[in-house]
Amino acid sequence: TKQTGLTSLDYGFVNTAATRSSITYIDGEQGILRYRGYPIEQLAEKSTFLEVAWLLIHGELPSETELADFDERIRRHTLLHEDLRRFFDALPHDAHPMSVLSSAVSALSTFYQDSLSVSDPEQVELSTIRLLAKLPVIAAYAHKKSLGQAFLYPDNSLSFVDNFLRLNFGTLAEPYEVNPVLSRALERLLILHEDHEQNASTSTVRLVGSTQANLFASVSAGINALYGPLHGGANEAVLQMLAGIRDSGESVQKFVERVKNKESGVKLMGFGHRVYKNFDPRAKLVKQSADEVLEALGVHDPLLDIAKELEEVALADQYFIDRKLYPNVDFYTGVIYKAMGFPTRMFTVLFAIGRLPGWIAHWREMNLDPQTKIGRPQQLYVGSPERTLDR
Ligand code: SDX
């Protein structure tokens, strides 16, 4: 403090050198989100998860042939090594699926040692394809493990999303019919999560990757960053918050008062954002989808009514207006995932599957750039000046 005159209170934010990237553009004031220049609204409506993944990774939309080949290569890599399937036997049935996901993704670098290079184009492509193909399978196995149900093998005659739905909800006892409403809704939600610039988990992937750690190790670190309730874990925390309000019988108004009084750290989960100080364009699209999906599934969930009332009360309250707190992408997604049949603990896993192409795109962009240096965030020292050890 003597040296710098700064105290930790002044020390709100260290302005690290901005990362250069051409993948995603966000305007927090205008509520704009574009992947490689394309507005998220158009991609969510007209594209597919794999087409957008290709766009994020390669910078341009794929030709029909490129997309068909990309899709085919991913289908051919959905099987896990049998020893990796056995890895799940060692885990407790009540393991959190996000812990399973990060552990199993890290383990991929032990099974696929022929694709660990960060510079060999063929190995980079192979690790990309393997991760896109196997993450959904690992996620579904984590879900099945928590249910005590047998794992299915992937059915590569199905699309990326339909294969994932079948692995989660199909059983050995009967054939599984994919519900097109679920399929289209999940495709849209995954597209909305594919990338988001330098968020905490993507920055983690870039920082780990900047040491030339392989893709599996870098993404495993990103999964762990996403796990936290202030980041991807918020979609799980929102459902717990809504269920808490429902089960306590507490009014929404009363809950909002407790949030404003900052009682024991209670927050309005799914609200607020580091960048969006206006609406999060994704939240608007998810809210629309929530109404459509629940109606199409014939589901009425009182938690959706509570969420809508919470949004209405908060957006009219000066406390939230002054702090520019609006619903973010996590506020409504959980209600849809719940209606689809996913347990709450799988919600952040779904976020990770959506975010995977963005993590891969950033890791590749960084490794392709010869200017890339190892990450080393700056520090502003506010500790003790020099002193003497008198002994
Ligand atoms: C994601 O970065 C990304 O792009 C992330 C993401 C992505 O796609 O990768 O968009 C995904 O992580 C979305 C965010 C999900 N997290 C949550 O919903 C958790 C709840 N939200 C908060 O924890 C918070 O809003 C953050 C962490 C998201 C943002 O925090 P900020 O911008 O650093 O805000 P802050 O903590 O400095 O708070 C400013 C003020 C404080 O009040 P005062 O001290 O000024 O009185 O706003 C208050 C905070 O207490 N505040 C909240 C609040 N968020 C901030 N008060 C109640 N409820 C909240 N949710």
Side-chain angles (χ1 to χ4, degrees):
T1 305
K2 286 198 187 66
Q3 276 173 333
T4 63
L6 278 169
T7 67
S8 55
L9 287 179
D10 303 324
Y11 181 74
F13 181 71
V14 178
N15 184 12
T16 55
T19 302
R20 288 164 51 83
S21 174
S22 56
I23 298 173
T24 291
Y25 172 72
I26 297 174
D27 179 322
E29 287 307 322
Q30 305 294 323
I32 292 173
L33 169 54
R34 298 187 198 125
Y35 292 161
R36 298 286 191 182
Y38 291 96
I40 190 64
E41 296 79 2
Q42 294 173 21
L43 294 168
E45 259 333 285
K46 303 173 185 169
S47 189
T48 64
F49 176 72
L50 289 184
E51 185 180 48
V52 173
W54 177 280
L55 170 69
L56 289 169
I57 292 168
H58 298 287
E60 298 296 335
L61 288 166
S63 66
E64 245 179 73
T65 317
E66 284 169 332
L67 183 57
D69 173 57
F70 186 52
D71 188 323
E72 178 54 29
R73 274 182 293 142
I74 287 170
R75 291 177 196 230
R76 278 212 310 274
H77 282 278
T78 50
L79 283 178
L80 298 191
H81 190 292
E82 279 300 304
D83 290 347
L84 182 55
R85 271 171 49 88
R86 276 191 278 279
F87 162 87
F88 290 82
D89 297 343
L91 296 172
H93 76 279
D94 58 352
H96 193 292
M98 281 299 278
S99 304
V100 176
L101 208 70
S102 61
S103 312
V105 167
S106 192
L108 289 176
S109 42
T110 67
F111 286 94
Y112 301 108
Q113 301 188 34
D114 60 342
S115 58
L116 300 183
S117 167
V118 301
S119 52
D120 174 299
E122 271 183 31
Q123 291 197 30
V124 167
E125 199 50 37
L126 186 51
S127 57
T128 296
I129 294 292
R130 277 172 164 155
L131 208 35
L132 284 167
K134 298 180 194 302
L135 190 70
V137 181
I138 290 168
Y141 287 179
H143 181 197
K144 285 296 191 185
K145 172 80 185 182
S146 72
L147 300 174
Q149 283 186 11
F151 297 173
L152 298 185
Y153 279 89
D155 171 356
N156 294 336
S157 68
L158 297 174
S159 71
F160 180 91
V161 168
D162 292 356
N163 214 350
F164 177 63
L165 285 170
R166 177 182 160 278
L167 287 171
N168 278 282
F169 301 118
T171 66
L172 291 172
E174 57 224 13
Y176 177 74
E177 194 69 27
V178 175
N179 178 333
V181 171
L182 282 197
S183 178
R184 185 61 205 139
L186 185 54
E187 186 104 47
R188 285 185 69 199
L189 285 171
L190 292 176
I191 290 171
L192 291 174
H193 285 82
E194 288 203 46
D195 192 53
H196 211 244
E197 206 221 59
Q198 306 303 322
N199 58 85
S201 53
T202 302
S203 304
T204 302
V205 170
R206 288 187 78 114
L207 185 58
V208 172
S210 73
T211 68
Q212 296 195 351
N214 67 70
L215 180 60
F216 302 124
S218 305
V219 167
S220 176
I223 292 169
N224 283 308
L226 188 73
Y227 193 173
L230 294 189
H231 190 12
N235 59 15
E236 178 179 347
V238 167
L239 250 286
Q240 287 156 357
M241 171 185 75
L242 297 174
I245 295 170
R246 177 199 59 196
D247 300 344
S248 68
E250 179 181 45
S251 72
V252 162
Q253 290 284 2
K254 180 85 182 67
F255 176 77
V256 167
E257 284 313 306
R258 288 201 300 115
V259 170
K260 288 161 66 177
N261 299 333
K262 297 186 182 174
E263 274 177 33
S264 59
V266 68
K267 279 181 180 274
L268 185 41
M269 299 310 279
F271 256 66
H273 200 276
R274 294 298 279 128
V275 175
Y276 291 123
K277 297 305 176 189
N278 201 321
F279 64 94
D280 178 335
R282 302 166 298 176
K284 288 175 85 170
L285 294 169
V286 175
K287 184 179 177 182
Q288 279 163 18
S289 205
D291 289 325
E292 288 159 17
V293 172
L294 269 68
E295 194 186 327
L297 293 176
V299 169
H300 173 253
D301 188 341
L303 297 187
L304 180 57
D305 301 333
I306 294 173
K308 286 181 177 176
E309 191 187 345
L310 258 179
E311 179 184 8
E312 199 182 320
V313 167
L315 295 190
D317 188 306
Q318 210 52 44
Y319 178 94
F320 297 90
I321 295 167
D322 292 347
R323 292 164 178 79
K324 300 188 174 192
L325 302 176
Y326 295 86
N328 58 52
V329 67
D330 293 312
F331 191 63
Y332 285 106
T333 42
V335 172
I336 302 177
Y337 295 148
K338 178 170 174 280
M340 290 178 170
F342 289 105
T344 308
R345 298 176 99 196
M346 279 293 288
F347 293 177
T348 310
V349 169
L350 296 170
F351 192 140
I353 293 171
R355 185 53 50 88
L356 180 61
W359 287 334
I360 293 173
H362 281 273
W363 183 88
R364 288 174 61 137
E365 177 183 66
M366 186 181 59
N367 278 307
L368 277 179
D369 177 357
Q371 306 289 323
T372 295
K373 293 206 173 304
I374 186 169
R376 184 68 174 77
Q378 290 170 301
Q379 172 190 278
L380 197 61
Y381 181 71
V382 289
S384 306
E386 185 180 0
R387 40 189 175 169
T388 310
L389 187 60
D390 288 330
R391 276 190 194 153

